[in-house]
Amino acid sequence: MSSEQGSASANAADVYDFNNHDDGNSGNDEPPPPPPSKTKVRRGRNTNQLQFMLKTVVKAVWKHQFAWPFHKPVDAVNLQLPDYHKIIKTPMDVGTIKKRLESYYYHNAKEAMQDFNTMFTNCYVYNKPGDDITLMAQELEKLFLNKVADMPPEEIELSVGGKRGRGGAKAVAAAVARS
């Protein structure tokens, strides 16, 4: 299941008003396919803040009781949400953020935080304010913001293997002392 899907007690028909969306697909039972993926080849980095995002922020958000709808991308076809990809142009979920962090996709922690913001904003845009999924997203966003508040203030590049790069621990200590 994924982000803007509704709660465990609601099915897609309960959270989606089939008569109140113009999907341009009237009379056709098949929803339109999601847009093609725009996979970019990027050269990211490994930093202390990105590791914090992965090991502290994503870990806490992933384990939260309300996180299950946000683990995977929204399956608009299975949930019968034919207008989802017309309304939400940049889908995002915690699973994608986690994979991106694990594969060093991001150049800095700000990019990962922007993806979290996109995920929450998508939920708020597509769903109504009182919907269960919206309330779940609000709780996760509070947790996210509380965890991010504890992130190290200075972003320091690490080697991809997890060890400190560019001179080791002494260079990092010197960089911190200079700030």
Side-chain angles (χ1 to χ4, degrees), residues 48-99:
N48 61 331
Q49 289 184 341
L50 288 168
Q51 285 300 305
F52 181 86
M53 290 289 295
L54 178 62
K55 294 177 180 174
T56 304
V57 178
V58 170
K59 185 176 180 180
V61 170
W62 188 272
K63 292 165 102 178
H64 192 278
Q65 66 178 349
F66 292 160
W68 62 267
F70 301 91
H71 283 177
K72 296 179 183 174
V74 171
D75 185 349
V77 174
N78 193 33
L79 291 170
Q80 300 178 6
L81 306 174
D83 64 345
Y84 183 79
H85 292 289
K86 290 178 182 169
I87 295 170
I88 302 302
K89 300 299 183 191
T90 310
M92 189 51 59
D93 61 279
V94 180
T96 299
I97 296 168
K98 183 174 184 269
K99 286 177 192 168

mmCIF file of all heavy atoms in Angstrom, residues 48-99:
data_model
loop_
_atom_site.group_PDB
_atom_site.id
_atom_site.type_symbol
_atom_site.label_atom_id
_atom_site.label_comp_id
_atom_site.label_asym_id
_atom_site.label_seq_id
_atom_site.Cartn_x
_atom_site.Cartn_y
_atom_site.Cartn_z
ATOM 1 N N ASN A 48 27.470 13.005 6.478
ATOM 2 C CA ASN A 48 26.975 12.697 7.814
ATOM 3 C C ASN A 48 25.478 12.981 7.919
ATOM 4 O O ASN A 48 24.727 12.233 8.546
ATOM 5 C CB ASN A 48 27.758 13.479 8.871
ATOM 6 C CG ASN A 48 27.646 14.989 8.706
ATOM 7 O OD1 ASN A 48 27.474 15.509 7.594
ATOM 8 N ND2 ASN A 48 27.762 15.718 9.805
ATOM 9 N N GLN A 49 25.011 14.046 7.280
ATOM 10 C CA GLN A 49 23.584 14.369 7.331
ATOM 11 C C GLN A 49 22.750 13.348 6.547
ATOM 12 O O GLN A 49 21.660 12.981 6.982
ATOM 13 C CB GLN A 49 23.329 15.782 6.803
ATOM 14 C CG GLN A 49 23.814 16.865 7.733
ATOM 15 C CD GLN A 49 23.469 18.261 7.228
ATOM 16 O OE1 GLN A 49 23.176 18.466 6.051
ATOM 17 N NE2 GLN A 49 23.530 19.234 8.125
ATOM 18 N N LEU A 50 23.241 12.902 5.404
ATOM 19 C CA LEU A 50 22.515 11.890 4.638
ATOM 20 C C LEU A 50 22.459 10.569 5.408
ATOM 21 O O LEU A 50 21.430 9.883 5.405
ATOM 22 C CB LEU A 50 23.147 11.693 3.255
ATOM 23 C CG LEU A 50 22.923 12.855 2.280
ATOM 24 C CD1 LEU A 50 23.826 12.721 1.059
ATOM 25 C CD2 LEU A 50 21.460 12.935 1.869
ATOM 26 N N GLN A 51 23.540 10.222 6.082
ATOM 27 C CA GLN A 51 23.524 9.014 6.909
ATOM 28 C C GLN A 51 22.546 9.177 8.075
ATOM 29 O O GLN A 51 21.845 8.234 8.438
ATOM 30 C CB GLN A 51 24.930 8.692 7.425
ATOM 31 C CG GLN A 51 25.842 8.100 6.365
ATOM 32 C CD GLN A 51 25.287 6.804 5.809
ATOM 33 O OE1 GLN A 51 24.999 5.862 6.540
ATOM 34 N NE2 GLN A 51 25.114 6.761 4.496
ATOM 35 N N PHE A 52 22.476 10.360 8.643
ATOM 36 C CA PHE A 52 21.511 10.637 9.710
ATOM 37 C C PHE A 52 20.092 10.482 9.167
ATOM 38 O O PHE A 52 19.225 9.895 9.822
ATOM 39 C CB PHE A 52 21.727 12.043 10.277
ATOM 40 C CG PHE A 52 20.795 12.393 11.396
ATOM 41 C CD1 PHE A 52 21.113 12.052 12.702
ATOM 42 C CD2 PHE A 52 19.593 13.040 11.153
ATOM 43 C CE1 PHE A 52 20.246 12.353 13.750
ATOM 44 C CE2 PHE A 52 18.718 13.348 12.185
ATOM 45 C CZ PHE A 52 19.046 13.003 13.499
ATOM 46 N N MET A 53 19.856 11.011 7.975
ATOM 47 C CA MET A 53 18.533 10.882 7.355
ATOM 48 C C MET A 53 18.156 9.406 7.203
ATOM 49 O O MET A 53 17.030 9.020 7.510
ATOM 50 C CB MET A 53 18.507 11.560 5.975
ATOM 51 C CG MET A 53 18.591 13.070 6.016
ATOM 52 S SD MET A 53 17.112 13.873 6.651
ATOM 53 C CE MET A 53 15.915 13.461 5.415
ATOM 54 N N LEU A 54 19.091 8.582 6.765
ATOM 55 C CA LEU A 54 18.815 7.163 6.547
ATOM 56 C C LEU A 54 18.663 6.406 7.867
ATOM 57 O O LEU A 54 17.673 5.705 8.078
ATOM 58 C CB LEU A 54 19.925 6.530 5.705
ATOM 59 C CG LEU A 54 19.798 5.029 5.444
ATOM 60 C CD1 LEU A 54 18.528 4.714 4.657
ATOM 61 C CD2 LEU A 54 21.029 4.523 4.700
ATOM 62 N N LYS A 55 19.630 6.552 8.753
ATOM 63 C CA LYS A 55 19.677 5.719 9.955
ATOM 64 C C LYS A 55 18.780 6.197 11.089
ATOM 65 O O LYS A 55 18.412 5.407 11.952
ATOM 66 C CB LYS A 55 21.122 5.617 10.448
ATOM 67 C CG LYS A 55 22.003 4.861 9.472
ATOM 68 C CD LYS A 55 23.428 4.819 9.918
ATOM 69 C CE LYS A 55 24.268 4.049 8.889
ATOM 70 N NZ LYS A 55 25.675 4.102 9.198
ATOM 71 N N THR A 56 18.425 7.463 11.090
ATOM 72 C CA THR A 56 17.600 7.999 12.168
ATOM 73 C C THR A 56 16.210 8.414 11.678
ATOM 74 O O THR A 56 15.202 7.932 12.191
ATOM 75 C CB THR A 56 18.305 9.194 12.843
ATOM 76 O OG1 THR A 56 19.594 8.766 13.290
ATOM 77 C CG2 THR A 56 17.509 9.713 14.015
ATOM 78 N N VAL A 57 16.167 9.287 10.680
ATOM 79 C CA VAL A 57 14.892 9.851 10.233
ATOM 80 C C VAL A 57 14.053 8.800 9.508
ATOM 81 O O VAL A 57 12.915 8.515 9.901
ATOM 82 C CB VAL A 57 15.106 11.102 9.354
ATOM 83 C CG1 VAL A 57 13.779 11.653 8.864
ATOM 84 C CG2 VAL A 57 15.888 12.161 10.120
ATOM 85 N N VAL A 58 14.598 8.213 8.444
ATOM 86 C CA VAL A 58 13.831 7.216 7.671
ATOM 87 C C VAL A 58 13.474 6.023 8.556
ATOM 88 O O VAL A 58 12.347 5.531 8.509
ATOM 89 C CB VAL A 58 14.602 6.765 6.413
ATOM 90 C CG1 VAL A 58 13.936 5.566 5.753
ATOM 91 C CG2 VAL A 58 14.708 7.913 5.418
ATOM 92 N N LYS A 59 14.405 5.594 9.366
ATOM 93 C CA LYS A 59 14.145 4.445 10.242
ATOM 94 C C LYS A 59 12.955 4.717 11.161
ATOM 95 O O LYS A 59 12.074 3.868 11.312
ATOM 96 C CB LYS A 59 15.401 4.122 11.058
ATOM 97 C CG LYS A 59 15.295 2.884 11.899
ATOM 98 C CD LYS A 59 16.613 2.595 12.604
ATOM 99 C CE LYS A 59 16.515 1.344 13.442
ATOM 100 N NZ LYS A 59 17.785 1.060 14.126
ATOM 101 N N ALA A 60 12.911 5.887 11.774
ATOM 102 C CA ALA A 60 11.817 6.228 12.690
ATOM 103 C C ALA A 60 10.497 6.382 11.941
ATOM 104 O O ALA A 60 9.456 5.878 12.391
ATOM 105 C CB ALA A 60 12.150 7.515 13.449
ATOM 106 N N VAL A 61 10.524 7.066 10.809
ATOM 107 C CA VAL A 61 9.299 7.269 10.034
ATOM 108 C C VAL A 61 8.775 5.924 9.535
ATOM 109 O O VAL A 61 7.584 5.635 9.618
ATOM 110 C CB VAL A 61 9.538 8.264 8.868
ATOM 111 C CG1 VAL A 61 8.359 8.286 7.915
ATOM 112 C CG2 VAL A 61 9.821 9.660 9.410
ATOM 113 N N TRP A 62 9.666 5.082 9.027
ATOM 114 C CA TRP A 62 9.282 3.771 8.477
ATOM 115 C C TRP A 62 8.585 2.901 9.522
ATOM 116 O O TRP A 62 7.620 2.212 9.215
ATOM 117 C CB TRP A 62 10.522 3.054 7.949
ATOM 118 C CG TRP A 62 10.216 1.803 7.197
ATOM 119 C CD1 TRP A 62 10.069 0.534 7.707
ATOM 120 C CD2 TRP A 62 10.006 1.671 5.789
ATOM 121 N NE1 TRP A 62 9.800 -0.355 6.703
ATOM 122 C CE2 TRP A 62 9.753 0.315 5.515
ATOM 123 C CE3 TRP A 62 10.022 2.577 4.731
ATOM 124 C CZ2 TRP A 62 9.513 -0.162 4.227
ATOM 125 C CZ3 TRP A 62 9.798 2.094 3.457
ATOM 126 C CH2 TRP A 62 9.537 0.751 3.217
ATOM 127 N N LYS A 63 9.049 2.951 10.754
ATOM 128 C CA LYS A 63 8.517 2.088 11.808
ATOM 129 C C LYS A 63 7.218 2.609 12.435
ATOM 130 O O LYS A 63 6.559 1.882 13.164
ATOM 131 C CB LYS A 63 9.562 1.926 12.919
ATOM 132 C CG LYS A 63 10.779 1.129 12.496
ATOM 133 C CD LYS A 63 11.911 1.312 13.470
ATOM 134 C CE LYS A 63 12.061 0.156 14.375
ATOM 135 N NZ LYS A 63 13.198 0.305 15.294
ATOM 136 N N HIS A 64 6.860 3.855 12.171
ATOM 137 C CA HIS A 64 5.672 4.440 12.785
ATOM 138 C C HIS A 64 4.423 3.676 12.349
ATOM 139 O O HIS A 64 4.321 3.206 11.219
ATOM 140 C CB HIS A 64 5.565 5.914 12.394
ATOM 141 C CG HIS A 64 4.548 6.667 13.183
ATOM 142 N ND1 HIS A 64 3.205 6.639 12.891
ATOM 143 C CD2 HIS A 64 4.672 7.472 14.268
ATOM 144 C CE1 HIS A 64 2.547 7.390 13.750
ATOM 145 N NE2 HIS A 64 3.416 7.911 14.600
ATOM 146 N N GLN A 65 3.457 3.576 13.246
ATOM 147 C CA GLN A 65 2.232 2.810 12.963
ATOM 148 C C GLN A 65 1.424 3.360 11.793
ATOM 149 O O GLN A 65 0.650 2.638 11.177
ATOM 150 C CB GLN A 65 1.353 2.726 14.207
ATOM 151 C CG GLN A 65 0.787 4.063 14.663
ATOM 152 C CD GLN A 65 -0.116 3.924 15.875
ATOM 153 O OE1 GLN A 65 -0.483 2.831 16.261
ATOM 154 N NE2 GLN A 65 -0.479 5.062 16.466
ATOM 155 N N PHE A 66 1.593 4.641 11.457
ATOM 156 C CA PHE A 66 0.850 5.243 10.348
ATOM 157 C C PHE A 66 1.649 5.270 9.046
ATOM 158 O O PHE A 66 1.199 5.847 8.060
ATOM 159 C CB PHE A 66 0.433 6.676 10.693
ATOM 160 C CG PHE A 66 -0.591 6.788 11.777
ATOM 161 C CD1 PHE A 66 -0.755 7.982 12.457
ATOM 162 C CD2 PHE A 66 -1.401 5.713 12.131
ATOM 163 C CE1 PHE A 66 -1.714 8.110 13.466
ATOM 164 C CE2 PHE A 66 -2.349 5.827 13.129
ATOM 165 C CZ PHE A 66 -2.510 7.024 13.795
ATOM 166 N N ALA A 67 2.825 4.672 9.024
ATOM 167 C CA ALA A 67 3.697 4.785 7.849
ATOM 168 C C ALA A 67 3.361 3.819 6.723
ATOM 169 O O ALA A 67 3.752 4.053 5.579
ATOM 170 C CB ALA A 67 5.148 4.590 8.267
ATOM 171 N N TRP A 68 2.632 2.742 7.003
ATOM 172 C CA TRP A 68 2.454 1.696 5.993
ATOM 173 C C TRP A 68 1.916 2.199 4.656
ATOM 174 O O TRP A 68 2.349 1.711 3.610
ATOM 175 C CB TRP A 68 1.609 0.535 6.543
ATOM 176 C CG TRP A 68 0.211 0.925 6.948
ATOM 177 C CD1 TRP A 68 -0.213 1.303 8.186
ATOM 178 C CD2 TRP A 68 -0.945 0.982 6.096
ATOM 179 N NE1 TRP A 68 -1.556 1.600 8.160
ATOM 180 C CE2 TRP A 68 -2.036 1.408 6.895
ATOM 181 C CE3 TRP A 68 -1.167 0.722 4.741
ATOM 182 C CZ2 TRP A 68 -3.316 1.572 6.385
ATOM 183 C CZ3 TRP A 68 -2.445 0.883 4.236
ATOM 184 C CH2 TRP A 68 -3.504 1.296 5.052
ATOM 185 N N PRO A 69 1.020 3.187 4.584
ATOM 186 C CA PRO A 69 0.570 3.620 3.259
ATOM 187 C C PRO A 69 1.653 4.362 2.464
ATOM 188 O O PRO A 69 1.524 4.541 1.258
ATOM 189 C CB PRO A 69 -0.594 4.578 3.541
ATOM 190 C CG PRO A 69 -0.973 4.354 4.957
ATOM 191 C CD PRO A 69 0.273 3.884 5.641
ATOM 192 N N PHE A 70 2.698 4.789 3.156
ATOM 193 C CA PHE A 70 3.745 5.587 2.529
ATOM 194 C C PHE A 70 4.994 4.766 2.203
ATOM 195 O O PHE A 70 5.987 5.316 1.743
ATOM 196 C CB PHE A 70 4.119 6.763 3.449
ATOM 197 C CG PHE A 70 2.952 7.663 3.741
ATOM 198 C CD1 PHE A 70 2.139 7.438 4.847
ATOM 199 C CD2 PHE A 70 2.645 8.714 2.898
ATOM 200 C CE1 PHE A 70 1.051 8.257 5.112
ATOM 201 C CE2 PHE A 70 1.553 9.538 3.159
ATOM 202 C CZ PHE A 70 0.755 9.305 4.258
ATOM 203 N N HIS A 71 4.964 3.458 2.438
ATOM 204 C CA HIS A 71 6.125 2.612 2.179
ATOM 205 C C HIS A 71 6.408 2.441 0.689
ATOM 206 O O HIS A 71 7.563 2.279 0.302
ATOM 207 C CB HIS A 71 5.942 1.224 2.808
ATOM 208 C CG HIS A 71 6.160 1.213 4.285
ATOM 209 N ND1 HIS A 71 5.984 0.086 5.052
ATOM 210 C CD2 HIS A 71 6.523 2.184 5.162
ATOM 211 C CE1 HIS A 71 6.235 0.350 6.320
ATOM 212 N NE2 HIS A 71 6.566 1.627 6.408
ATOM 213 N N LYS A 72 5.369 2.429 -0.129
ATOM 214 C CA LYS A 72 5.515 2.184 -1.573
ATOM 215 C C LYS A 72 4.795 3.281 -2.352
ATOM 216 O O LYS A 72 3.917 3.944 -1.819
ATOM 217 C CB LYS A 72 4.888 0.835 -1.949
ATOM 218 C CG LYS A 72 5.552 -0.354 -1.324
ATOM 219 C CD LYS A 72 4.838 -1.628 -1.752
ATOM 220 C CE LYS A 72 5.435 -2.846 -1.075
ATOM 221 N NZ LYS A 72 4.672 -4.059 -1.375
ATOM 222 N N PRO A 73 5.128 3.422 -3.644
ATOM 223 C CA PRO A 73 4.406 4.408 -4.466
ATOM 224 C C PRO A 73 2.912 4.101 -4.523
ATOM 225 O O PRO A 73 2.494 2.942 -4.408
ATOM 226 C CB PRO A 73 5.035 4.249 -5.852
ATOM 227 C CG PRO A 73 6.371 3.641 -5.599
ATOM 228 C CD PRO A 73 6.200 2.769 -4.377
ATOM 229 N N VAL A 74 2.105 5.120 -4.710
ATOM 230 C CA VAL A 74 0.663 4.954 -4.847
ATOM 231 C C VAL A 74 0.396 4.104 -6.088
ATOM 232 O O VAL A 74 0.905 4.391 -7.170
ATOM 233 C CB VAL A 74 -0.034 6.323 -4.989
ATOM 234 C CG1 VAL A 74 -1.499 6.157 -5.353
ATOM 235 C CG2 VAL A 74 0.103 7.122 -3.713
ATOM 236 N N ASP A 75 -0.389 3.053 -5.923
ATOM 237 C CA ASP A 75 -0.797 2.204 -7.045
ATOM 238 C C ASP A 75 -2.151 2.716 -7.527
ATOM 239 O O ASP A 75 -3.204 2.252 -7.109
ATOM 240 C CB ASP A 75 -0.881 0.752 -6.595
ATOM 241 C CG ASP A 75 -1.187 -0.209 -7.733
ATOM 242 O OD1 ASP A 75 -1.548 0.250 -8.836
ATOM 243 O OD2 ASP A 75 -1.069 -1.429 -7.508
ATOM 244 N N ALA A 76 -2.110 3.704 -8.415
ATOM 245 C CA ALA A 76 -3.326 4.380 -8.866
ATOM 246 C C ALA A 76 -4.276 3.439 -9.593
ATOM 247 O O ALA A 76 -5.495 3.597 -9.508
ATOM 248 C CB ALA A 76 -2.966 5.566 -9.763
ATOM 249 N N VAL A 77 -3.753 2.449 -10.298
ATOM 250 C CA VAL A 77 -4.610 1.510 -11.025
ATOM 251 C C VAL A 77 -5.338 0.606 -10.040
ATOM 252 O O VAL A 77 -6.565 0.480 -10.082
ATOM 253 C CB VAL A 77 -3.777 0.676 -12.031
ATOM 254 C CG1 VAL A 77 -4.621 -0.410 -12.678
ATOM 255 C CG2 VAL A 77 -3.166 1.590 -13.086
ATOM 256 N N ASN A 78 -4.614 -0.004 -9.130
ATOM 257 C CA ASN A 78 -5.206 -0.919 -8.157
ATOM 258 C C ASN A 78 -6.198 -0.205 -7.245
ATOM 259 O O ASN A 78 -7.216 -0.773 -6.856
ATOM 260 C CB ASN A 78 -4.109 -1.596 -7.331
ATOM 261 C CG ASN A 78 -4.623 -2.765 -6.539
ATOM 262 O OD1 ASN A 78 -5.536 -3.464 -6.963
ATOM 263 N ND2 ASN A 78 -4.027 -2.998 -5.384
ATOM 264 N N LEU A 79 -5.918 1.042 -6.906
ATOM 265 C CA LEU A 79 -6.794 1.824 -6.030
ATOM 266 C C LEU A 79 -7.903 2.547 -6.798
ATOM 267 O O LEU A 79 -8.695 3.265 -6.204
ATOM 268 C CB LEU A 79 -5.978 2.841 -5.242
ATOM 269 C CG LEU A 79 -5.056 2.246 -4.193
ATOM 270 C CD1 LEU A 79 -4.110 3.291 -3.646
ATOM 271 C CD2 LEU A 79 -5.861 1.601 -3.084
ATOM 272 N N GLN A 80 -7.908 2.364 -8.107
ATOM 273 C CA GLN A 80 -8.912 2.994 -8.968
ATOM 274 C C GLN A 80 -8.925 4.513 -8.789
ATOM 275 O O GLN A 80 -9.957 5.124 -8.523
ATOM 276 C CB GLN A 80 -10.298 2.389 -8.721
ATOM 277 C CG GLN A 80 -10.341 0.908 -9.000
ATOM 278 C CD GLN A 80 -11.695 0.286 -8.709
ATOM 279 O OE1 GLN A 80 -12.655 0.976 -8.392
ATOM 280 N NE2 GLN A 80 -11.767 -1.031 -8.830
ATOM 281 N N LEU A 81 -7.760 5.097 -8.949
ATOM 282 C CA LEU A 81 -7.587 6.549 -8.861
ATOM 283 C C LEU A 81 -7.124 7.063 -10.229
ATOM 284 O O LEU A 81 -5.955 7.406 -10.417
ATOM 285 C CB LEU A 81 -6.554 6.904 -7.782
ATOM 286 C CG LEU A 81 -6.785 6.334 -6.385
ATOM 287 C CD1 LEU A 81 -5.614 6.638 -5.472
ATOM 288 C CD2 LEU A 81 -8.086 6.848 -5.811
ATOM 289 N N PRO A 82 -8.023 7.110 -11.207
ATOM 290 C CA PRO A 82 -7.607 7.426 -12.577
ATOM 291 C C PRO A 82 -7.024 8.824 -12.762
ATOM 292 O O PRO A 82 -6.267 9.055 -13.690
ATOM 293 C CB PRO A 82 -8.896 7.269 -13.389
ATOM 294 C CG PRO A 82 -10.000 7.414 -12.403
ATOM 295 C CD PRO A 82 -9.469 6.879 -11.104
ATOM 296 N N ASP A 83 -7.327 9.746 -11.866
ATOM 297 C CA ASP A 83 -6.809 11.099 -12.003
ATOM 298 C C ASP A 83 -5.550 11.352 -11.175
ATOM 299 O O ASP A 83 -5.008 12.458 -11.193
ATOM 300 C CB ASP A 83 -7.882 12.119 -11.611
ATOM 301 C CG ASP A 83 -8.291 12.012 -10.148
ATOM 302 O OD1 ASP A 83 -7.966 10.994 -9.502
ATOM 303 O OD2 ASP A 83 -8.955 12.935 -9.653
ATOM 304 N N TYR A 84 -5.067 10.346 -10.462
ATOM 305 C CA TYR A 84 -3.951 10.560 -9.541
ATOM 306 C C TYR A 84 -2.736 11.182 -10.233
ATOM 307 O O TYR A 84 -2.189 12.185 -9.775
ATOM 308 C CB TYR A 84 -3.555 9.253 -8.832
ATOM 309 C CG TYR A 84 -2.457 9.474 -7.827
ATOM 310 C CD1 TYR A 84 -2.748 10.008 -6.585
ATOM 311 C CD2 TYR A 84 -1.129 9.207 -8.133
ATOM 312 C CE1 TYR A 84 -1.747 10.257 -5.660
ATOM 313 C CE2 TYR A 84 -0.124 9.453 -7.227
ATOM 314 C CZ TYR A 84 -0.433 9.972 -5.986
ATOM 315 O OH TYR A 84 0.569 10.238 -5.082
ATOM 316 N N HIS A 85 -2.320 10.589 -11.349
ATOM 317 C CA HIS A 85 -1.111 11.087 -12.024
ATOM 318 C C HIS A 85 -1.359 12.363 -12.822
ATOM 319 O O HIS A 85 -0.400 12.995 -13.273
ATOM 320 C CB HIS A 85 -0.497 9.990 -12.895
ATOM 321 C CG HIS A 85 0.065 8.871 -12.077
ATOM 322 N ND1 HIS A 85 1.202 9.000 -11.320
ATOM 323 C CD2 HIS A 85 -0.390 7.610 -11.850
ATOM 324 C CE1 HIS A 85 1.447 7.870 -10.691
ATOM 325 N NE2 HIS A 85 0.492 7.018 -10.986
ATOM 326 N N LYS A 86 -2.603 12.755 -12.980
ATOM 327 C CA LYS A 86 -2.901 14.053 -13.586
ATOM 328 C C LYS A 86 -2.782 15.159 -12.539
ATOM 329 O O LYS A 86 -2.420 16.285 -12.858
ATOM 330 C CB LYS A 86 -4.305 14.051 -14.194
ATOM 331 C CG LYS A 86 -4.397 13.176 -15.416
ATOM 332 C CD LYS A 86 -5.792 13.150 -15.978
ATOM 333 C CE LYS A 86 -5.817 12.211 -17.180
ATOM 334 N NZ LYS A 86 -7.158 11.927 -17.630
ATOM 335 N N ILE A 87 -3.095 14.823 -11.289
ATOM 336 C CA ILE A 87 -3.040 15.796 -10.194
ATOM 337 C C ILE A 87 -1.655 15.815 -9.554
ATOM 338 O O ILE A 87 -1.104 16.880 -9.267
ATOM 339 C CB ILE A 87 -4.132 15.479 -9.146
ATOM 340 C CG1 ILE A 87 -5.519 15.663 -9.779
ATOM 341 C CG2 ILE A 87 -3.973 16.337 -7.899
ATOM 342 C CD1 ILE A 87 -6.662 15.161 -8.924
ATOM 343 N N ILE A 88 -1.090 14.641 -9.327
ATOM 344 C CA ILE A 88 0.216 14.513 -8.673
ATOM 345 C C ILE A 88 1.271 14.264 -9.741
ATOM 346 O O ILE A 88 1.354 13.178 -10.306
ATOM 347 C CB ILE A 88 0.206 13.376 -7.628
ATOM 348 C CG1 ILE A 88 -0.876 13.627 -6.574
ATOM 349 C CG2 ILE A 88 1.579 13.206 -6.999
ATOM 350 C CD1 ILE A 88 -0.752 14.934 -5.813
ATOM 351 N N LYS A 89 2.069 15.272 -10.029
ATOM 352 C CA LYS A 89 3.063 15.197 -11.103
ATOM 353 C C LYS A 89 4.389 14.584 -10.651
ATOM 354 O O LYS A 89 5.154 14.095 -11.469
ATOM 355 C CB LYS A 89 3.323 16.592 -11.688
ATOM 356 C CG LYS A 89 2.088 17.243 -12.271
ATOM 357 C CD LYS A 89 1.515 16.434 -13.412
ATOM 358 C CE LYS A 89 0.316 17.132 -14.034
ATOM 359 N NZ LYS A 89 -0.408 16.266 -14.946
ATOM 360 N N THR A 90 4.662 14.643 -9.339
ATOM 361 C CA THR A 90 5.917 14.101 -8.810
ATOM 362 C C THR A 90 5.606 13.175 -7.641
ATOM 363 O O THR A 90 5.692 13.576 -6.476
ATOM 364 C CB THR A 90 6.850 15.244 -8.343
ATOM 365 O OG1 THR A 90 6.961 16.208 -9.382
ATOM 366 C CG2 THR A 90 8.239 14.715 -7.995
ATOM 367 N N PRO A 91 5.210 11.928 -7.923
ATOM 368 C CA PRO A 91 4.915 10.995 -6.831
ATOM 369 C C PRO A 91 6.167 10.738 -5.984
ATOM 370 O O PRO A 91 7.294 10.755 -6.498
ATOM 371 C CB PRO A 91 4.489 9.714 -7.551
ATOM 372 C CG PRO A 91 4.190 10.122 -8.947
ATOM 373 C CD PRO A 91 5.019 11.335 -9.232
ATOM 374 N N MET A 92 5.953 10.519 -4.694
ATOM 375 C CA MET A 92 7.079 10.235 -3.802
ATOM 376 C C MET A 92 6.573 9.418 -2.626
ATOM 377 O O MET A 92 5.430 9.548 -2.207
ATOM 378 C CB MET A 92 7.719 11.527 -3.309
ATOM 379 C CG MET A 92 9.021 11.342 -2.544
ATOM 380 S SD MET A 92 10.281 10.318 -3.363
ATOM 381 C CE MET A 92 10.545 11.206 -4.877
ATOM 382 N N ASP A 93 7.446 8.545 -2.091
ATOM 383 C CA ASP A 93 7.113 7.695 -0.950
ATOM 384 C C ASP A 93 8.385 7.419 -0.153
ATOM 385 O O ASP A 93 9.492 7.655 -0.650
ATOM 386 C CB ASP A 93 6.480 6.385 -1.438
ATOM 387 C CG ASP A 93 7.437 5.600 -2.320
ATOM 388 O OD1 ASP A 93 7.549 5.936 -3.518
ATOM 389 O OD2 ASP A 93 8.081 4.666 -1.810
ATOM 390 N N VAL A 94 8.228 6.914 1.059
ATOM 391 C CA VAL A 94 9.374 6.674 1.939
ATOM 392 C C VAL A 94 10.277 5.582 1.367
ATOM 393 O O VAL A 94 11.501 5.658 1.487
ATOM 394 C CB VAL A 94 8.928 6.312 3.373
ATOM 395 C CG1 VAL A 94 10.133 6.065 4.271
ATOM 396 C CG2 VAL A 94 8.066 7.411 3.968
ATOM 397 N N GLY A 95 9.692 4.576 0.722
ATOM 398 C CA GLY A 95 10.506 3.508 0.129
ATOM 399 C C GLY A 95 11.466 4.047 -0.922
ATOM 400 O O GLY A 95 12.635 3.643 -0.979
ATOM 401 N N THR A 96 10.987 4.959 -1.744
ATOM 402 C CA THR A 96 11.845 5.573 -2.763
ATOM 403 C C THR A 96 12.934 6.416 -2.115
ATOM 404 O O THR A 96 14.105 6.349 -2.516
ATOM 405 C CB THR A 96 10.994 6.430 -3.724
ATOM 406 O OG1 THR A 96 10.049 5.583 -4.375
ATOM 407 C CG2 THR A 96 11.861 7.138 -4.761
ATOM 408 N N ILE A 97 12.584 7.173 -1.097
ATOM 409 C CA ILE A 97 13.580 7.992 -0.388
ATOM 410 C C ILE A 97 14.640 7.086 0.237
ATOM 411 O O ILE A 97 15.845 7.360 0.139
ATOM 412 C CB ILE A 97 12.899 8.880 0.677
ATOM 413 C CG1 ILE A 97 11.954 9.882 0.006
ATOM 414 C CG2 ILE A 97 13.937 9.587 1.540
ATOM 415 C CD1 ILE A 97 11.018 10.610 0.958
ATOM 416 N N LYS A 98 14.205 6.004 0.846
ATOM 417 C CA LYS A 98 15.129 5.054 1.482
ATOM 418 C C LYS A 98 16.098 4.469 0.450
ATOM 419 O O LYS A 98 17.316 4.421 0.666
ATOM 420 C CB LYS A 98 14.318 3.947 2.159
ATOM 421 C CG LYS A 98 15.113 2.931 2.930
ATOM 422 C CD LYS A 98 14.164 1.988 3.664
ATOM 423 C CE LYS A 98 14.879 1.004 4.528
ATOM 424 N NZ LYS A 98 15.201 -0.233 3.836
ATOM 425 N N LYS A 99 15.561 4.039 -0.702
ATOM 426 C CA LYS A 99 16.413 3.487 -1.759
ATOM 427 C C LYS A 99 17.398 4.532 -2.272
ATOM 428 O O LYS A 99 18.561 4.219 -2.542
ATOM 429 C CB LYS A 99 15.567 2.974 -2.930
ATOM 430 C CG LYS A 99 14.847 1.684 -2.636
ATOM 431 C CD LYS A 99 13.964 1.278 -3.806
ATOM 432 C CE LYS A 99 13.033 0.144 -3.397
ATOM 433 N NZ LYS A 99 11.975 -0.087 -4.390
#
